[in-house]
Structure formats: C-alpha cells, structure tokens
Amino acid sequence: MAGDSVSTLILFIAAMLVAAGVAGTLVTNVNELSNSVDTQSADVTDKIDTDIEIISDPGSDAVYNSDGAENVTILVKNTGQKTLADDGTGLDVLVNGSYISDEAMTVTVQDGGGPWRRGTVAELEIDQSLATGEEHRVKVTVNGAEEVFEFYVS
C-alpha cells in the first residue's frame, strides 16, 4: 500500500510540473499575442485617421518650374483627423516611380507654418527635372494614405 501512495504522489507531482510548464508557455504566448494586437491596432488607427488630398491644378504652369530651378511644386491638404509632421517626416514621395529623398524635397505648411493640422495645406517643393512634352506622376504617401497627381509638362 505504501508503494502505491509513493508512486501516485510521484505521478501527481510530475503532472503538476507538466501543467505548470504548459500554463507558463500559454501565458507567455497570450501576452505576446496581446502586445502584437495592441501594436497592430495602433497602426490601423493611425491609418484610419490619416488622409490627404492633392489640391494642385494639373493644368497650371505653377506645378513645374522649367526656368532654371526645375522643380515640381504641389499643394497637399491634410483631410484626416491626425496632425501630420510639418517637416515632411513620414511622407514618401515618388516622381515617375523614382523615390524622392528628404534632401531633394522641402515641405512648407501654409498659414504661417506650425503643425500640419486637419484642413491645413502644405506645399511640397521637389527638386526634380522633368522631360517636356510628357505626362508625369507624383505619388504622395503618409501612414498608408496615398494620392497620385498626374500632370503634363509642355
């Protein structure tokens, strides 16, 4: 009888150790999953709250300056709920499929500068020479919100 009690006790202790190990692993995995969901939901919230609209006139001669400076100037309005960085941080700009670095682009928030709040317009001046007699595209992306601007340089 005493041998049965000892073997039952050993099996009980072994079962408790296995259960504790499984529970520890599950708790760790659930915590990691929870943190991942929190991070993902914050990213989705930023994407939902961010929206932009390019308001430049594609037929205007003000879009491309071919006299010496050779730059593209477009006006981008923040139409989302999120306040965007006034220095262009987070903006990705492509001109005809080529990425434009921060050094080749200047962002100026209209109405005296300051934060790029909802309803505020920013001027993007991009140092880029373009071929005349062709159609060109500028794609602006911020937090997943993107706008494409097509214009013709005569």
Side-chain angles (χ1 to χ4, degrees):
M1 284 287 206
D4 288 340
S5 297
V6 172
S7 64
T8 303
L9 181 62
I10 290 173
L11 287 174
F12 178 73
I13 292 172
M16 294 307 285
L17 289 173
V18 169
V22 169
T25 302
L26 285 177
V27 167
T28 302
N29 288 342
V30 167
N31 282 339
E32 289 175 2
L33 183 62
S34 175
N35 291 338
S36 177
V37 168
D38 288 345
T39 302
Q40 187 72 7
S41 66
D43 291 344
V44 169
T45 300
D46 279 348
K47 287 181 181 180
I48 290 172
D49 288 346
T50 304
D51 198 14
I52 57 172
E53 188 74 33
I54 297 177
I55 61 172
S56 293
D57 179 11
S60 171
D61 290 335
V63 173
Y64 182 67
N65 178 6
S66 60
D67 298 333
E70 294 189 341
N71 56 21
V72 178
T73 303
I74 59 173
L75 301 175
V76 181
K77 185 174 185 177
N78 181 356
T79 57
Q81 299 294 326
K82 185 172 175 61
T83 299
L84 303 173
D86 60 347
D87 60 355
T89 305
L91 277 179
D92 291 323
V93 178
L94 302 173
V95 176
N96 295 327
S98 297
Y99 180 76
I100 303 300
S101 67
D102 292 340
E103 293 82 28
M105 179 178 61
T106 305
V107 178
T108 307
V109 177
Q110 305 295 310
D111 300 329
W116 191 6
R117 292 189 177 96
R118 177 186 176 120
T120 308
V121 176
E123 179 183 82
L124 274 62
E125 189 172 314
I126 305 161
D127 295 331
Q128 180 78 28
S129 63
L130 300 175
T132 58
E134 294 181 11
E135 186 175 291
H136 301 281
R137 288 176 179 76
V138 176
K139 181 177 180 179
V140 180
T141 306
V142 58
N143 286 343
E146 60 184 45
E147 277 292 308
V148 176
F149 180 68
E150 298 177 357
F151 62 100
Y152 183 82
V153 174
S154 54

